[in-house]
């Protein structure tokens, strides 16, 4: 069903079209129009989703999350990579470029 993509800090990702996202009580929720699934992205996931509204490198997303939530870079990197991989697996994001 899904292809495994190897993400690196240089990978550039962007949102797939066809998703409707909305803020609810500080968390972002999203409806994938193609498959009819709802997703609760949470607060951090919502910020990651917003960060890839235009093509963005994984490293720039990690930097934004590190600064916004004042977390160690290693933690932000691990969590961002995991979340972005999930978005790719669910066909919610696409790789826009590789180094």
């Amino acid at each position: 069903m899904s292809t495994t993509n190897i993400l690196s800090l240089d990978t550039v990702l962007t949102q797939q079209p066809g998703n409707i996202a909305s803020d609810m009580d500080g968390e972002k929720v999203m409806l994938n129009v193609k498959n009819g699934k709802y997703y609760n992205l949470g607060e951090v996931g919502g910020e990651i989703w917003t960060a890839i509204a235009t093509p963005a490198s994984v490293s720039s997303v990690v930097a934004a999350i590190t600064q916004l939530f004042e977390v160690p870079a290693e933690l932000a990197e691990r969590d961002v990579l995991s979340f972005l991989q999930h978005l790719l697996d669910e066909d919610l994001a696409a790789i826009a470029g590789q180094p």
Side-chain angles (χ1 to χ4, degrees), residues 26-27 41-50 65 69 79-80 83:
E27 295 190 347
L41 302 180
E43 185 181 2
V44 177
E47 293 297 335
I48 295 170
W49 178 253
T50 300
I65 295 302
F69 292 96
D79 290 351
V80 167
F83 188 81

Side-chain angles (χ1 to χ4, degrees), residues 9 44 48 58-84:
L9 292 175
V44 177
I48 295 170
V58 173
S59 61
S60 68
V61 176
V62 169
I65 295 302
T66 301
Q67 183 176 11
L68 191 61
F69 292 96
E70 298 179 357
V71 295
E74 306 79 39
L75 177 63
E77 183 178 322
R78 185 188 73 222
D79 290 351
V80 167
L81 283 168
S82 173
F83 188 81
L84 289 172

Side-chain angles (χ1 to χ4, degrees), residues 1-6 16 35 37 39 84-93 95:
M1 178 176 142
S2 68
T3 57
T4 301
N5 298 293
I6 307 288
Q16 288 279 42
N35 67 16
K37 284 186 177 178
Y39 300 88
L84 289 172
Q85 185 62 58
H86 183 69
L87 290 179
L88 286 169
D89 291 346
E90 292 290 319
D91 200 29
L92 300 173
I95 293 178

